[in-house]
Amino acid sequence: KTYTLGILQQVEYQTLRRLPRTGSILFTIRTMSDPLPVLEGGNDEELKVKGALAAGCMTASIRSLSPHMRCYKGLRDGNSVDALLDYLDHIVISASDKSNSDNLPVQGVEPHPLS
């Protein structure tokens, strides 16, 4: 199956820091965006495992969203969401298959049971 999703993954890191001189609190947000296929890991086996772990977390998160939160996050089209979840499951399964053929454990990487 070929996947051609023009989707970016976006991750935000939010921090609170107390400034030493004034005692004020500084709130920062660092946002990073990458094309979703970065999760496939290319030819790097370690990156494939890390990508599969991230893909598994993403699928669990998306599946647990209420319809209202899906809409808020821009996941309105059911067909697109299904394609996205199918793609993420593919990443997880591919990494699991590869690690099993090499007799390497990939802990925490399991496709959704209803996929």
Side-chain angles (χ1 to χ4, degrees):
K1 197 171 198 179
T2 302
Y3 298 92
T4 55
L5 300 172
I7 297 176
L8 295 175
Q9 62 176 338
Q10 180 173 313
V11 178
E12 289 184 357
Y13 293 96
Q14 301 177 3
T15 63
L16 293 172
R17 295 183 185 190
R18 184 172 302 279
L19 300 176
R21 280 193 318 186
T22 65
S24 298
I25 299 201
L26 176 66
F27 173 71
T28 62
I29 301 174
R30 179 177 179 195
T31 304
M32 296 181 289
S33 295
D34 287 304
L36 201 56
V38 165
L39 294 177
E40 293 179 27
N43 294 325
D44 186 319
E45 294 306 316
E46 184 178 347
L47 288 179
K48 284 183 182 181
V49 171
K50 289 180 179 180
L53 289 169
C57 289
M58 288 175 71
T59 57
S61 178
I62 292 168
R63 285 186 171 104
S64 70
L65 292 174
S66 69
H68 176 74
M69 284 305 292
R70 280 189 180 195
C71 186
Y72 172 77
K73 292 181 177 285
L75 301 170
R76 293 176 183 88
D77 179 12
N79 292 333
S80 296
V81 173
D82 290 344
L84 173 61
L85 292 171
D86 187 40
Y87 174 68
L88 293 171
D89 284 337
H90 166 76
I91 292 172
V92 172
I93 291 166
S94 295
S96 295
D97 289 347
K98 173 66 176 138
S99 68
N100 290 337
S101 69
D102 291 341
N103 295 319
L104 299 172
V106 180
Q107 296 177 354
V109 178
E110 294 295 327
H112 191 274
L114 301 178
S115 298

